[in-house]
Amino acid sequence: MKKKAFSLLVLLFSVSMILAACSGGSGDGEASNGDDKVIDFMHLWPEGSSAEHNRIVQEIVDDYESENEGVSVNIEVLSNEQYKDKIKVLSTSDELPDVGMTWPAGYLEPYVEAEKFAPLDDTLEGEFGDSFVAGTTSAYEVDGSTYGLPLELNVATVFYNQAIFDEYGLEKPETYEEFQNVVDTLKENDVAPIALGNKDRWTGSMWYMYMADRIGGTDLLTEAINQDTSFEDPALIEAADKTQQLAQSDAFVNGFNGLSDQEAKSMFMNEQAAMYLIATWDLPNYTTNEDVPQEFRDSVGYFKFPTVNGEGDRESFVGGPGVGLFVAENSDVKEESKDFVKFFAEQWGEKSVTEAGVIPATKVDAESLDLPQMYVDVLDDLNNATNLTLFADVQMSPEAAEVHLSQIQALFGGNVTPKEFAEAHQEALSQE
Amino acid sequence: MKKLSYILLYICLGIVAVFQLLPIIWLFLFSLKSNREIFGGNPFALPREWLWENYAKVWEGGIGLYFFNSVWITVVAIILTALFASMATFAITRMHWKLDKLVLGLFMVGLMIPIHSAIIPLFSMFLNVNLIDNPISIVLTYTAYNLPITMMILLGFYYTLPREIEEAAIMDGCSIHRLFFRIILPMTTPVLSTIVIINMIYNWNEFVFVNTFISSDQYKTLTVGIQNFIGQYMTDWGAIGATLIISLLPILIAFIFFSNKVVEGISSSAVKG
Amino acid sequence: MNKVMSNKWMIAFYIMPALLMVAFLIFIPLGLSAYYGLMEWDGIGAMEFIGMENYITAIQDAAFWDSALHSFLLAVFSTLSLIVYLAISMILASKIKGADILRKIYLIPMLLSSVAIAQLWIKVFNPANGMLNRALMWLGVENPPAWLANPDIVLYAIFVPILWQYAGFYILIYYAALKNIPESLIEAAKIDGATPIQIAYRIKLPLIKGIVKVTVVLAIVGSLKYFDLIYVMTNGGPNGASEVMASYMYKLAFSTNEFGYGSAIGFLLLIITLIVTVIVRKLTEDKENIQY
């Protein structure tokens, strides 16, 4: 009896030892299939939620592999949050994939400073560099070198429900007074004016950014973030004040500080709120997405953020490139990886807009493509844009962004005064 | 009077039971709806359209392999945890040595580490021994991180085991291994079933470690199947619901099975032992 | 007897597998985490040794102490709710009709993953469409609160699903413990004319005291390092009103690139938990150590 129990234990141990021993070999085996060079590529478009994105990536990878004998691409897909967490863990052990996705500015800077990402200036030389929309690659620039190839370009606009607007005889507002009037009319008729999911906080930040842009001019907020001027500028405080007044006047749906963007979006899409400020990544929902009723899609329009106090440039947008591709500095297939990201960005542009409804960061010829009218309008607006202010939380370092985002939530919730809001920003930004 | 209080008791118990069942019904309805309906409509309304394709979508996503991985990783980790924890608890409560309290304290400290503190050091350790992207790392981690809580639960039960039985066994010339495997382990069947259920739920639903340590599709588990439907800007909640229902079924069955084992009390197995 | 049970090799054989696993996979990471706590490190670039600075910052960090307070509150509520779970388990373990099926039903929610539980309760708490507010409005409440948006309420609102989530866990343990009590003891008491309440209080409770103490420790430790639902449902907001120690640590280490500081907070969390546990164990210690 004793023997039996003992041998069971021995067996268990030896099995795990053998398994562990075997695994030691297989870890290496994966990295080198024969003489092939393998590019490890991590992206964040899982098949289940982003079928088109995922398919396009696969197509591009397949094309690349067939055009480049001896190079293969090993793909790993994670969802957004998990992707960010995993990149973080990988970077602590200096194990970044050869090619991966990064966000611009504040997210990218620590990786550049630590020399984890390779500069892509040589890749961007010549015609290829010119194929990007002006200002998109510069969001990935640190000290004159570019470290990412942008894939998306998003601008925030106010989407509205034309059917609700018609019912109450409302027009798309061009000035803040008209906007205020729209809000008041909707409130009088017990319609929630604006869907906002401020649990996610960057959503509220966009409202503040537009206020700041219209009141203080197109460059003021960026200058304050870069500390070329103080964040306690009267215009920035006034913008905070106006935003707070709007939030305190029941313009946003009830309980917005506890709602996620997803919940707010569905309120807009279920016609429970008349307006919704979001970036153009949402365009498929209002144009091509078959899961959304046609009737609703037809009744959605958008307008550019109104002027405030009769000031401001309506052609100035909040937005910027979303994810971009990086190449790891310590990659053992760096040249191949650079070649791959270039190939990828070239192929991505047209395919992504026609097949996945992405506004790409590379120039596309809207005329020649068969696109829904709303895309044509947005691309047109982008061509005529006078300024594009990068999302504030993306511009800032992660530490300052956290202060910004929690201050936004506090401002909307009435827990800080506009002055305190500005002071907290100034303090956080000046410490950088 | 007594009858009335029984009726009242049953009404209360019944209401609670209904509330406990609602989540499953909710989840089932959820799995058949579109995003729009999930967030807009009444959660307990029947779906306007029964979207069985949510389930089809999930199957096509290659959930079968994830399912298999979940099962074997969960089972192996449970066996290791239950065995090692029982052995260690036996040593601490039954054997005579000086450092038992100290060692017990160490296990208790193990209970207190927040996993997000551990994840980065663990990653670099597994990297050094070449166990990243290897399911062994997952099995080992699950086992180690469930050991303390499992031992805590076992401890309370081991203290209540009558000493006479082992004294009698040793007098009869029974070896320690025989005492442990043939007498003590069977006597603790109810609590073993309990810890199997608890470990099963933990292992089955865990995703932080899997997401971090595993990158190849062939080793991923069911919880990763859920991640598949979370997008950069858009999330397919209906499909997540379907994945959750599919992954709920096996542990529901296993739960009912082990739940019955909990009832098979100490008295019956003690007699057999 | 004593000779057999104090054989060093045998003791090592039984204790080592568990001890080695915990030592390697929990204590080494713990040590490393304490070490990272002494560093200025964003988790990306180079580390810089700064001694105790992170710990000093933490001690002066109001946001940290707020989160610690929230964790303590959760621990208090979790511990108090054990009384309810114990009462339910006593009913389920008694020989009433249908106890078996009821017990299984009660434990079902425990099988759900945190993802599902979070989504369920987000829908319960939704201010406009949520089940809770619809019910309240149906009952005639004019302006039901926005549960997860109001900083004064959010913490208590989010405790409800957390406590509910763990109900099954404790009921399961208590149930197993109660079933472990020899039937003969209870029968004897019944013959002596003891009422069910007397039996519960005088016989069952003392017999499962060991397990009750264990669950108190588990509830406290589990609460102090609790993370899951808070992260998904409120992300600690609005404005830190529902931040707990573990979510604060996660935010620092993973979102804001203050990995060194986050590690220090993680280590403090452990120290605080350890101190609280030791105090609780002292308070519940038996004067005479009863062995059954």
Side-chain angles (χ1 to χ4, degrees), chain C residues 172-227:
Chain C
L172 184 67
I173 295 175
Y174 288 148
Y175 182 85
L178 288 166
K179 277 287 164 194
N180 219 2
I181 297 174
E183 205 58 50
S184 53
L185 279 178
I186 294 165
E187 289 304 324
K190 271 191 190 155
I191 291 164
D192 289 348
T195 66
I197 300 206
Q198 281 174 328
I199 294 177
Y201 198 73
R202 295 270 168 78
I203 298 177
K204 293 183 179 170
L205 198 57
L207 281 176
I208 64 165
K209 202 165 60 185
I211 267 293
V212 172
K213 278 188 208 162
V214 167
T215 56
V216 169
V217 171
L218 290 182
I220 290 171
V221 173
S223 303
L224 291 179
K225 65 170 197 178
Y226 190 79
F227 175 77

Side-chain angles (χ1 to χ4, degrees), chain A residues 23 45-46 48 76 79 266 269, chain B residues 36 39 134 215 227-228 231-232:
Chain A
S23 66
W45 294 310
E76 181 183 357
S79 69
S266 62
M269 293 181 66
Chain B
R36 206 162 167 268
F39 285 96
N134 185 321
S215 18
Q227 299 297 319
N228 187 18
Q232 190 187 6

Side-chain angles (χ1 to χ4, degrees), chain C residues 73-92:
Chain C
L73 282 172
L74 178 60
V76 171
F77 279 95
S78 304
T79 312
L80 290 178
S81 61
L82 291 179
I83 299 167
V84 181
Y85 306 150
L86 188 56
I88 294 175
S89 315
M90 292 253 185
I91 295 171
L92 293 178

Side-chain angles (χ1 to χ4, degrees), chain B:
Chain B
M1 180 55 213
K2 202 177 170 193
K3 202 164 185 190
L4 187 73
S5 62
Y6 260 104
I7 291 171
L8 271 176
L9 179 67
Y10 270 105
I11 291 175
C12 291
L13 291 173
I15 291 173
V16 177
V18 169
F19 269 103
Q20 299 295 77
L21 276 178
L22 284 179
I24 302 277
I25 298 167
W26 162 79
L27 186 61
F28 180 67
L29 294 171
F30 180 102
S31 72
L32 293 166
K33 291 179 181 178
S34 66
N35 268 3
R36 206 162 167 268
E37 230 186 308
I38 285 169
F39 285 96
N42 174 357
F44 286 101
L46 295 179
R48 251 168 280 170
E49 274 177 86
W50 295 68
L51 296 176
W52 292 105
E53 62 248 44
N54 284 339
Y55 283 86
K57 238 186 289 184
V58 169
W59 270 122
E60 282 159 20
I63 202 174
L65 180 64
Y66 297 160
F67 198 95
F68 171 75
N69 289 334
S70 271
V71 171
W72 82 256
I73 289 176
T74 301
V75 170
V76 175
I78 289 177
I79 294 173
L80 291 178
T81 312
L83 180 67
F84 292 170
S86 292
M87 287 166 63
T89 313
F90 176 69
I92 288 173
T93 59
R94 293 326 227 207
M95 293 175 167
H96 310 292
W97 44 303
K98 284 202 191 103
L99 295 173
D100 57 345
K101 286 277 175 309
L102 176 78
V103 170
L104 179 62
L106 288 179
F107 282 112
M108 281 185 77
V109 173
L111 201 62
M112 299 168 190
I113 186 171
I115 63 162
H116 288 103
S117 288
I119 195 112
I120 285 179
L122 270 179
F123 181 88
S124 73
M125 285 165 60
F126 283 130
L127 190 73
N128 282 328
V129 294
N130 234 326
L131 281 179
I132 285 301
D133 202 20
N134 185 321
I136 304 253
S137 62
I138 301 296
V139 172
L140 291 177
T141 317
Y142 286 2
T143 307
Y145 280 79
N146 285 338
L147 272 174
I149 194 167
T150 306
M151 285 181 58
M152 289 301 118
I153 298 167
L154 285 175
L155 209 61
F157 286 82
Y158 271 75
Y159 277 133
T160 64
L161 292 179
R163 290 231 181 246
E164 296 78 26
I165 292 179
E166 64 191 56
E167 276 164 19
I170 300 285
M171 291 294 185
D172 287 352
C174 178
S175 77
I176 287 200
H177 298 310
R178 191 178 157 85
L179 169 69
F180 176 71
F181 285 100
R182 297 297 290 177
I183 300 177
I184 302 285
L185 269 190
M187 276 172 78
T188 55
T189 314
V191 66
L192 279 178
S193 308
T194 308
I195 59 167
V196 164
I197 293 174
I198 289 166
N199 270 287
M200 178 175 76
I201 295 167
Y202 281 0
N203 294 349
W204 191 260
N205 290 328
E206 202 285 329
F207 73 93
V208 175
F209 289 130
V210 183
N211 257 309
T212 315
F213 299 155
I214 297 295
S215 18
S216 309
D217 238 16
Q218 52 177 329
Y219 300 133
K220 285 185 175 173
T221 60
L222 267 180
T223 43
V224 180
I226 290 169
Q227 299 297 319
N228 187 18
F229 297 101
I230 300 176
Q232 190 187 6
Y233 304 119
M234 227 90 69
T235 294
D236 189 344
W237 287 104
I240 289 181
T243 315
L244 288 171
I245 287 282
I246 292 174
S247 62
L248 180 67
L249 288 177
I251 52 165
L252 189 63
I253 294 164
F255 163 69
I256 290 172
F257 175 77
F258 284 105
S259 189
N260 288 333
K261 292 269 169 207
V262 178
V263 194
E264 288 170 17
I266 177 177
S267 40
S268 58
S269 40
V271 173
K272 270 181 254 157

Side-chain angles (χ1 to χ4, degrees), chain A residues 220-266:
Chain A
L220 181 64
L221 187 64
T222 308
E223 282 168 11
I225 291 172
N226 296 335
Q227 286 292 292
D228 296 331
T229 178
S230 166
F231 209 99
E232 291 169 83
D233 188 289
L236 292 178
I237 297 180
E238 195 196 335
D241 188 37
K242 267 245 160 23
T243 314
Q244 192 167 46
Q245 279 175 28
L246 186 67
Q248 306 280 296
S249 72
D250 290 335
F252 300 108
V253 290
N254 183 23
F256 54 78
N257 259 354
L259 294 176
S260 64
D261 176 52
Q262 169 100 38
E263 288 171 282
K265 188 199 305 292
S266 62

Side-chain angles (χ1 to χ4, degrees), chain C residues 266-281:
Chain C
F267 196 70
L268 277 181
L269 191 168
L270 183 118
I271 299 292
I272 291 174
T273 312
L274 195 60
I275 293 171
V276 173
T277 313
V278 169
I279 292 174
V280 168
R281 301 250 319 163

Side-chain angles (χ1 to χ4, degrees), chain C residues 221-253:
Chain C
V221 173
S223 303
L224 291 179
K225 65 170 197 178
Y226 190 79
F227 175 77
D228 291 14
L229 288 189
I230 301 237
Y231 174 67
V232 184
M233 287 178 66
T234 64
N235 200 3
N239 287 98
S242 61
E243 197 86 85
V244 291
M245 286 191 280
S247 66
Y248 188 55
M249 181 213 104
Y250 173 84
K251 204 169 266 179
L252 292 167

